[in-house]
Amino acid sequence: MHAWPSSLRLRLALWYSALLAVPLIAFAFICYVVFAQALLQRTDHFIGDALTAFSRELVAERRAAATQDVAIRTTIEEVRFRDLEIAILDSTRRVVASTDAGGDKDVSDGSASSPKQREIVAAVAGLDAPASQSRTVSVGGASFRVVARPLVLRDRNYLLLGTYTLGDVDSVLARIRELFALAIPLLIVSAAIGGYFLAKRSLAPVAAMSARAADISATNLHERLPVGGGDELVGLARVVNDLLDRLEGSFERQRQFMADASHELRTPTAIIRTEADLTLSRPHRSEEEYRASVTVVQEATRRLTRIVEDLFLLARADAGNLVPHRELVYLEEIVHDATRGVRPVAERRGVRVALGHVVEAPFHGDADLLGRLLLNLLDNAIKHSSSGGAVNVHMAIEANHYVIAVIDDGEGIPPEAREQVFERFFRLDVTRSRSENTTTSGAGLGLAIARRIAEVHGGRLTLGESRPGRTEFRLALPAAVS
C-alpha cells in the first residue's frame, strides 16, 4: 500500500487530476452511449423506411399477381436495398422468401437460405410483433440490426424482417473508443502536469513565508513575513505578522521585566552584602553597632522578600495560575480592614486616611487577593499624598458594579503617564518610592498587581480624574458574580 504523497503541491495536482478525470470519463461514457444509440436509431429508421417501401410494393404487386406467392417472389426480385436483407416469415415463423445482402434472391423452400439467416431467424423467432420491433443480433462475431414488422396479405399474417449489418456502426464506435482511450489519458496527464505547476506557482508565496519564518528567532523578531499571493495568503501573512507583533511585544516586555527585576533586586542584595562586609571588616563591634547592622539587613531583607513575592504573584498571573479562591465575602469589611491597616503608615507620613460612604457589598471572591488590591491602592495614595493631606475612600453601586474610589491630594499624574502607571516597575518619583517605608515592595509593582487581581475577579481598575490636588483610582467589581 503506497503512502499518500507528503508534498502539498503533488497532492493538489493529484486531486485536480482526479476531479477532472471522473467527470471527463463520465462525460465520455455518456457521449459514447448517446452516439451509439443515435447510430442505432438512424439504422432503425433506415430499415423501417425500407420495410415500409417493401410492404407498399408487395401490397401493390399482390393486386396484380395471380397468387400471393407470385407477388412475394416478384417483390423480392424487384425491391432491393444495399446491405439490407429482407425475409418474409409466415405465422409459424418459417421463412417464405428472403434476399441476401447482395440483392440476389433466395426463395425459401421451408428453411432459411444460409446459416447466418437461420441464426437470425432463430433469434427473433420468439418475437410477438403486433408492432414494429428491433434488436441487435450477433452471428459469427458480426453484429446485425434486425427490425421485425407484422404484415397482413389477404387475411394471412406474415412477419417482415429487415437485417442490416452493423459493421460500419461498429467501426465508427471502435474509432471513437480508440480516440477516447488516447485522448482521456493525455488530458488527465496534461491536467496533472499543469495542476502541479499551477500549485507550485500558487504555493510559492507559502514557501517564501516558510523560509522567512524559519529565519526568525528571538534575536530578530522585528522581521515579518512577506505579504502577497492572493487574499487567502495575504490574510494568513497578516495573521502571522500580528502574532509576531504580539510575540515581539511580549519578548520586549519580558526583557524589560527581567532588567527591571534585576535592577530592583540588586539594591537590597547590595545593601545586605555591603552591610555584612562592613560588619565583618572589624574584629570587634559593640552590641549597638551589631543591632544597627542587623536592622539594616532586616529592612533590606523585608524589601527583598516583598519584591520576590510580588514577582511571584505576577508570574502566576501571567501563566494563568492566579485563580482566586472564591467564597462569599463582604467588600465593605475588606475596605474597613484595609483602611485600618494602613493608618499607622499614613500617620508616619502625616497623612490622614478617611473612610467615607460605604454600601453593603456581598461578593464571591478571594478575600486575601482583594485585601492586597486595596492595600496597594491605599499605599500608592499615601506615598503620593502631600504631608498633612488626606486619602479618601468611598464606595457605591453604579450600573450593577461595586465601585470603590481611592482619592489622594497629591500632585496628580501627567496625561502621558495615565496608562504607564499600571506597568510593572513604573514610578513617577523613583527616589521617594525607594526610600519610604511602605506596605508594598516600593518597586513599582503595586498598581500592576492590583489591576491583575481586579481582572481575575472580572472587574477593572482604572485611573479616574487626575490633576494637581486630586488623583482618583476606581475599582469596579461586578455586583452579581456566580
Side-chain angles (χ1 to χ4, degrees):
M1 181 176 181
H2 298 287
W4 185 248
S6 59
S7 171
L8 180 59
R9 287 175 292 185
L10 189 55
R11 289 189 201 178
L12 290 176
L14 291 177
W15 274 111
Y16 180 75
S17 302
L19 292 176
L20 176 65
V22 171
L24 183 61
I25 294 174
F27 177 75
F29 177 76
I30 293 173
C31 288
Y32 178 82
V33 171
V34 170
F35 192 70
Q37 291 295 326
L39 290 178
L40 289 179
Q41 290 178 2
R42 182 177 178 183
T43 302
D44 289 345
H45 285 309
F46 166 73
I47 298 174
D49 292 343
L51 293 181
T52 299
F54 183 87
S55 299
R56 290 174 180 173
E57 185 66 23
L58 180 58
V59 171
E61 189 65 32
R62 176 64 186 89
R63 295 192 187 100
T67 64
Q68 289 191 155
D69 292 339
V70 173
I72 291 174
R73 286 195 298 269
T74 303
T75 307
I76 285 289
E77 291 175 357
E78 294 179 353
V79 181
R80 302 168 183 169
F81 299 94
R82 184 178 179 181
D83 298 329
L84 177 66
E85 298 179 11
I86 299 177
I88 302 175
L89 280 68
D90 60 14
S91 58
T92 63
R93 297 300 184 259
R94 183 179 62 88
V95 177
V96 176
S98 68
T99 69
D100 58 18
D104 298 331
K105 72 175 182 177
D106 178 23
V107 179
S108 176
D109 59 357
S111 63
S113 62
S114 65
K116 179 191 74 174
Q117 195 172 61
R118 285 196 296 269
E119 290 187 30
I120 293 175
V121 171
V124 300
L127 282 178
D128 182 14
S132 179
Q133 295 187 25
S134 59
R135 66 170 52 178
T136 300
V137 178
S138 295
V139 178
S143 298
F144 298 91
R145 190 67 173 174
V146 180
V147 175
R149 177 176 295 182
L151 176 66
V152 179
L153 289 176
R154 295 287 179 94
D155 298 329
R156 293 180 63 182
N157 295 323
Y158 296 91
L159 186 64
L160 194 59
L161 292 183
T163 303
Y164 188 83
T165 179
L166 294 179
D168 293 340
V169 174
D170 291 340
S171 176
V172 172
L173 293 179
R175 292 177 62 184
I176 293 176
R177 289 194 299 270
E178 292 174 358
L179 178 63
F180 283 162
L182 179 64
I184 291 177
L186 287 177
L187 288 174
I188 294 175
V189 171
S190 300
I193 295 174
Y196 179 82
F197 284 103
L198 285 176
K200 182 177 180 180
R201 183 173 180 180
S202 300
L203 294 176
V206 177
M209 287 190 289
S210 177
R212 179 69 62 84
D215 293 335
I216 296 176
S217 63
T219 59
N220 59 343
L221 272 177
H222 61 279
E223 294 189 9
R224 295 295 179 265
L225 301 185
V227 178
D231 293 341
E232 295 80 5
L233 295 182
V234 167
L236 175 62
R238 287 176 177 171
V239 169
V240 175
N241 286 338
D242 290 341
L243 173 62
L244 291 174
D245 289 338
R246 295 193 296 272
L247 286 176
E248 183 182 17
S250 177
F251 268 78
E252 187 61 33
R253 287 191 297 270
Q254 289 296 330
R255 292 192 189 101
Q256 187 63 39
F257 179 79
M258 293 301 296
D260 292 337
S262 300
H263 182 71
E264 292 297 331
L265 293 173
R266 185 186 303 134
T267 301
T269 55
I271 293 174
I272 294 172
R273 185 185 63 187
T274 302
E275 193 64 30
D277 291 342
L278 183 61
T279 302
L280 295 174
S281 64
R282 294 172 56 183
H284 299 288
R285 282 184 178 272
S286 64
E287 182 181 350
E288 291 181 359
E289 290 175 329
Y290 277 117
R291 283 185 175 277
S293 179
V294 172
T295 300
V296 172
V297 172
Q298 183 185 45
E299 289 300 325
T301 304
R302 286 176 178 173
R303 175 176 169 78
L304 182 62
T305 301
R306 286 194 295 266
I307 293 175
V308 172
E309 289 177 349
D310 289 347
L311 292 176
F312 180 67
L313 189 146
L314 288 173
R316 288 174 56 201
D318 291 341
N321 296 326
L322 186 61
V323 180
H325 176 64
R326 295 187 181 274
E327 59 182 356
L328 180 61
V329 298
Y330 289 88
L331 294 179
E332 71 275 12
E333 294 180 1
I334 297 177
V335 172
H336 276 290
D337 293 340
T339 54
R340 187 165 50 249
V342 299
R343 281 196 175 109
V345 177
E347 289 173 358
R348 287 195 295 269
R349 282 270 305 142
V351 177
R352 180 174 56 88
V353 178
L355 179 60
H357 178 72
V358 296
V359 295
E360 184 178 352
F363 183 75
H364 284 84
D366 192 314
D368 293 335
L369 290 178
L370 292 172
R372 184 164 188 177
L373 187 160
L374 290 170
L375 285 175
N376 287 0
L377 288 180
L378 291 168
D379 182 75
N380 180 77
I382 292 169
K383 284 189 298 185
H384 293 90
S385 293
S386 57
S387 180
V391 173
N392 295 291
V393 181
H394 301 283
M395 188 175 179
I397 298 179
E398 299 177 5
N400 294 325
H401 281 76
Y402 300 124
V403 178
I404 302 171
V406 178
I407 305 168
D408 65 69
D409 57 358
E411 297 178 356
I413 298 174
E416 64 273 10
R418 288 183 64 88
E419 283 302 316
Q420 287 181 294
V421 296
F422 295 104
E423 295 179 1
R424 302 167 187 183
F425 300 106
F426 179 80
R427 290 185 295 265
L428 288 173
D429 190 343
V430 177
T431 303
R432 181 173 63 178
S433 62
R434 281 184 177 173
S435 62
E436 292 177 349
N437 184 21
T438 66
T439 60
T440 62
S441 63
L445 298 174
L447 291 179
I449 292 174
R451 171 168 275 190
R452 292 306 300 269
I453 293 175
E455 290 173 350
V456 299
H457 282 87
R460 61 184 182 275
L461 176 62
T462 58
L463 175 60
E465 181 183 3
S466 182
R467 55 180 171 79
R470 180 183 175 87
T471 299
E472 178 185 9
F473 284 89
R474 293 171 60 86
L475 170 64
L477 296 171
V481 179
S482 58

